[in-house]
Amino acid sequence: AWKCLTTTSYRRLVIESMDPDHEIRRISPVAISSEEGYTHLLNGMQDHGWCFSYTCLKRLMTFAPTVAMGTEYTVHFSGTNPQKLRITLAHATAGEKMIVKIYYQNSQRLQVFVGNKFVEDINMEDGQMKKQLVRNGKWASNNNDGTY
């Protein structure tokens, strides 16, 4: 037996591709790197097709690494990032938290929802870009150079 002498609590982070092709398009291996420099490579689930041949290989693109609470992690997908992604911190209490950063290979605007509630981008205010609101005089800049 091994006794853990740390007070750090660990939870299961569940990362799921929710795209329509989540069983046939591989996005693994997935790398999840901690701020301490450790990287965990995760592979896809076992084939759950019924025909036992190459043509019906179906794998859920669901990954479940163990993570330390209060730590920052970066997720890298080896395939194209899912357009619809669900991240769950299983069995966490209300006070437990962590930071998950997801690396995107190409720039794009992302929409984030917590439950069914839309979380507005930090560069937006009521659906408008803050930069444009500053230019129009409807948003006060915080810095002398006109940025906020």
Side-chain angles (χ1 to χ4, degrees):
W2 179 70
K3 183 177 181 181
C4 184
L5 301 175
T6 181
T7 58
T8 303
S9 56
Y10 295 89
R11 295 291 179 255
R12 181 75 59 195
L13 179 71
V14 181
I15 304 167
E16 301 173 86
S17 170
M18 304 301 288
D19 288 348
D21 61 354
H22 70 277
E23 290 182 319
I24 56 174
R25 183 173 62 89
R26 290 185 54 87
I27 58 173
S28 63
V30 172
I32 180 165
S33 303
S34 69
E35 60 188 355
E36 289 87 17
Y38 296 102
T39 299
H40 187 178
L41 287 177
L42 306 158
N43 205 353
M45 301 290 185
Q46 179 180 344
D47 172 28
H48 64 273
W50 291 98
C51 70
F52 303 108
S53 74
Y54 180 76
T55 58
C56 68
L57 287 178
K58 291 186 176 185
R59 294 174 184 247
L60 289 174
M61 289 295 105
T62 300
F63 309 92
T66 301
V67 294
M69 294 295 89
T71 306
E72 185 174 296
Y73 291 90
T74 304
V75 177
H76 294 264
F77 297 101
S78 60
T80 304
N81 291 28
Q83 293 296 308
K84 193 170 185 182
L85 186 67
R86 178 168 53 194
I87 299 176
T88 307
L89 192 56
H91 310 295
T93 62
E96 292 178 318
K97 57 188 171 188
M98 60 174 292
I99 296 174
V100 177
K101 299 187 299 185
I102 300 173
Y103 175 76
Y104 283 85
Q105 298 171 12
N106 52 1
S107 59
Q108 54 186 316
R109 185 167 187 269
L110 303 174
Q111 291 185 333
V112 177
F113 291 85
V114 176
N116 289 329
K117 185 177 179 190
F118 175 66
V119 179
E120 196 167 61
D121 185 323
I122 61 170
N123 295 316
M124 303 285 285
E125 181 66 29
D126 294 328
Q128 296 181 324
M129 294 292 294
K130 288 181 182 176
K131 181 190 279 186
Q132 191 61 44
L133 291 171
V134 169
R135 286 184 193 141
N136 294 344
K138 296 180 180 180
W139 186 272
S141 62
N142 296 334
N143 302 322
N144 292 335
D145 64 355
T147 59
Y148 40 89

